[in-house]
Amino acid sequence: MTITLNHSLHPTDTQAPALDQRFDAAGAAWRLLALHARSEAAGEPLSMQEAAQRLRSQVRWPTGHGRIPQRSGAAWRAEFNPVADDEGWTALLGRHALDTLVAAFRRTLRDVGAQAPLSAISATPPSGLRLRALVRPVSSLCVEVVGVGPVLAPVFTLPGPAGLAVDVWRQQLGVRLRETRETLTRRLLAGDAQADEEYLRHVARYGEMEARLAVPLAAPCTGPVTLTFLEEAELEQCVRPGEPAQYRVHWNFRISDLAQPPDPGLIAVDPGIRTLYAWATRYGVGRFDSPLSGSWVAPLPAPLRGQVDRVLDVGLARLSRQELLHCRQVRPVLDAATSLFLGHRYLALEATDLAGMRRRQLDYPAFAEFSGLDLHMQFLREVVRHSDGIRQGLDIGPAGTTVDCAACGGANTMRYSGRLGRCTACGTRRHRDENGALNVYTRAARQLGWAA
């Protein structure tokens, strides 16, 4: 059972073009595969080398209908890999990432079917294409992207069990790199000529990373789930019209141990800002209030007077501040929420539409990313989804959860002054987030066929 969690990267102005270059290479490789497949389907087969030459000129893409080629991944790679080496794609992406690209292309051919219009073989990769084995979590503040270097990323927002799994992996990687360097050092000082080149290659490749892998020993995990970090991380490019490309990294974890939930009942959860989570069970309601108190928004630092003017690394400063607030204030609250929520057999979570909120330029998505709340909700859903039947998750639509009265069921009858509300139909007074959690509970109970 493998769960995947994703969060954003924050490349500098010089790193972003290098990341773009990798996805441009993936797009060029995809076009080569598509032209090769279309030509074969049209009855005018080309070798991979010939298709690559065609792409350098004004290529005419075959049209009409044809028999879509279907062959094994090994057969595709045998034809594709030599051209990828010549075009420089292997040097940019690595063999593993290219293998996953070929596998994704084969899946699209299977989806197209045996006979289809040739235009069904898209000349561009599908949205959400991910490049594998290019990213490593080398510190709490940054990841290493192969060929690009350390890129700022909020690795510290990974929920407790996931963060622990990453720390264990980083410890093990640090030990392996240190042992390798020590072995090469002994050989070099003993006059081993071959070790000379191997030592230089090791330090050139891992020198900066080794300095970032000094992590404390991880504490044993005693929570409801134990995870093991898998090295098959994936890099995704997110492109929105009129905006520069953004990047996300997807971490993969294997569930190595999962405790049985002690409570067989239902817990309903309503995420928010001032209240990180409000929850309701058959016993009552409660809240995990946000400890940030609005301080998650900060001004840009200004240069100090009387000092030589220098470039400020604002990205690092902001991320360091975010790490401090998250680790000291937010993480203890989210850890307590993890234990409570995953201690129940049924978890109902309000299906917050973060993408729609971003389009409407609301501030909740920015808060959810800053606080780690969006990553925590990903984590809860993934753990429940892969709980092998011992837990069940329910997504509840957000419409009306705040304005409908949870006591009498009146639609749009709650009126609020600050955080406290009163129902105009029955007179019930209740905190707005607790009212939302109770509505989520009622709707989830109905889905389960229970009397709320």
Side-chain angles (χ1 to χ4, degrees):
M1 295 180 290
T2 303
I3 69 173
T4 300
L5 305 173
N6 72 83
H7 59 69
S8 59
L9 300 185
H10 303 291
T12 64
D13 291 341
T14 56
Q15 290 172 334
L19 293 173
D20 293 339
Q21 185 183 26
R22 276 142 183 81
F23 281 88
D24 290 343
W30 188 280
R31 285 193 296 276
L32 173 63
L33 292 166
L35 179 59
H36 182 269
R38 277 203 199 184
S39 299
E40 182 177 333
E44 302 170 357
L46 301 171
S47 69
M48 283 285 181
Q49 287 81 2
E50 291 171 331
Q53 292 172 1
R54 292 268 184 99
L55 284 174
R56 297 190 190 102
S57 60
Q58 288 292 98
V59 61
R60 182 181 64 82
W61 287 83
T63 58
H65 281 66
R67 183 175 181 81
I68 306 301
Q70 305 287 342
R71 57 172 68 92
S72 69
W76 276 110
R77 290 192 297 271
E79 295 181 75
F80 172 75
N81 286 346
V83 179
D85 294 343
D86 293 341
E87 296 290 330
W89 301 331
T90 308
L92 277 173
L93 302 176
R95 186 70 70 204
H96 198 161
L98 288 173
D99 287 349
T100 59
L101 182 75
V102 171
F105 182 76
R106 288 183 62 229
R107 286 194 295 272
T108 65
L109 293 186
R110 285 201 304 268
D111 293 341
V112 167
Q115 293 280 346
L118 302 189
S119 59
I121 304 176
S122 175
T124 57
S127 61
L129 177 71
R130 302 176 192 172
L131 300 178
R132 184 169 291 183
L134 291 179
V135 186
R136 286 178 165 184
V138 294
S139 81
S140 63
L141 286 173
C142 74
V143 302
E144 187 215 27
V145 181
V146 176
V148 179
V151 178
L152 290 175
V155 182
F156 54 84
T157 55
L158 286 170
L164 177 63
V166 167
D167 284 348
V168 169
W169 177 84
R170 288 170 54 218
Q171 291 166 21
Q172 294 169 345
L173 176 63
V175 169
R176 291 200 302 270
L177 293 182
R178 185 168 61 251
E179 290 175 347
T180 300
R181 185 193 278 236
E182 289 171 354
T183 300
L184 291 172
T185 300
R186 287 194 298 269
R187 290 173 54 198
L188 175 61
L189 295 177
D192 186 334
Q194 184 178 353
D196 212 347
E197 180 184 354
E198 293 179 17
Y199 179 88
L200 288 174
R201 188 166 57 242
H202 177 89
V203 175
R205 170 68 181 88
Y206 298 110
E208 187 173 14
M209 186 190 303
E210 287 176 324
R212 296 175 181 273
L213 286 170
V215 294
L217 290 175
C221 184
T222 57
V225 60
T226 303
L227 303 178
T228 300
F229 178 68
L230 305 177
E231 295 189 40
E232 301 301 313
E234 298 164 311
L235 184 65
E236 179 186 7
Q237 184 187 54
C238 309
V239 180
R240 298 189 183 99
E243 298 181 13
Q246 297 180 342
Y247 292 91
R248 299 190 74 81
V249 60
H250 298 252
W251 307 116
N252 295 311
F253 301 87
R254 184 177 68 250
I255 297 178
S256 49
D257 187 42
L258 193 62
Q260 288 276 351
D263 192 316
L266 165 68
I267 187 166
V269 177
D270 181 9
I273 292 183
R274 298 184 188 178
T275 302
L276 285 183
Y277 287 119
W279 53 267
T281 69
R282 64 186 184 277
Y283 303 114
V285 296
R287 303 196 308 270
F288 289 105
D289 289 331
S290 172
L292 294 178
S293 304
S295 62
W296 61 282
V297 177
L300 290 174
L304 295 176
R305 292 182 178 180
Q307 292 193 355
V308 176
D309 188 26
R310 66 186 65 190
V311 176
L312 297 179
D313 193 343
V314 175
L316 176 62
R318 281 179 159 175
L319 211 61
S320 298
R321 172 183 177 275
Q322 182 186 354
E323 180 187 37
L324 176 65
L325 292 174
H326 178 86
C327 294
R328 297 288 183 87
Q329 295 185 336
V330 182
R331 178 177 288 170
V333 180
L334 294 182
D335 286 347
T338 298
S339 297
L340 175 63
F341 299 162
L342 294 183
H344 287 73
R345 170 73 174 83
Y346 299 94
L347 172 62
L349 196 59
E350 185 184 79
T352 306
D353 181 14
L354 292 178
M357 290 182 176
R358 287 190 184 96
R359 288 192 296 270
R360 299 196 303 275
Q361 298 183 332
L362 301 179
D363 64 350
Y364 179 75
F367 170 81
E369 181 166 7
F370 179 90
S371 64
L373 198 59
D374 62 339
L375 204 55
H376 192 257
M377 287 187 281
Q378 287 180 44
F379 170 73
L380 292 173
R381 287 189 169 95
E382 283 284 280
V383 171
V384 171
R385 185 163 69 92
H386 292 284
S387 285
D388 203 21
I390 66 173
R391 289 176 178 81
Q392 181 177 333
L394 301 95
D395 278 332
I396 305 299
T401 54
T402 300
V403 296
D404 294 350
C405 178
C408 70
N412 197 27
T413 57
M414 293 297 292
R415 299 293 181 268
Y416 292 98
S417 174
R419 308 303 292 171
L420 294 177
R422 178 181 178 277
C423 176
T424 58
C426 69
T428 296
R429 298 179 184 274
R430 186 166 280 133
H431 190 281
R432 65 179 296 141
D433 299 318
E434 293 177 357
N435 184 73
L438 284 166
N439 277 320
V440 173
Y441 183 90
T442 300
R443 296 176 190 183
R446 289 190 189 126
Q447 282 192 25
L448 293 169
W450 297 355

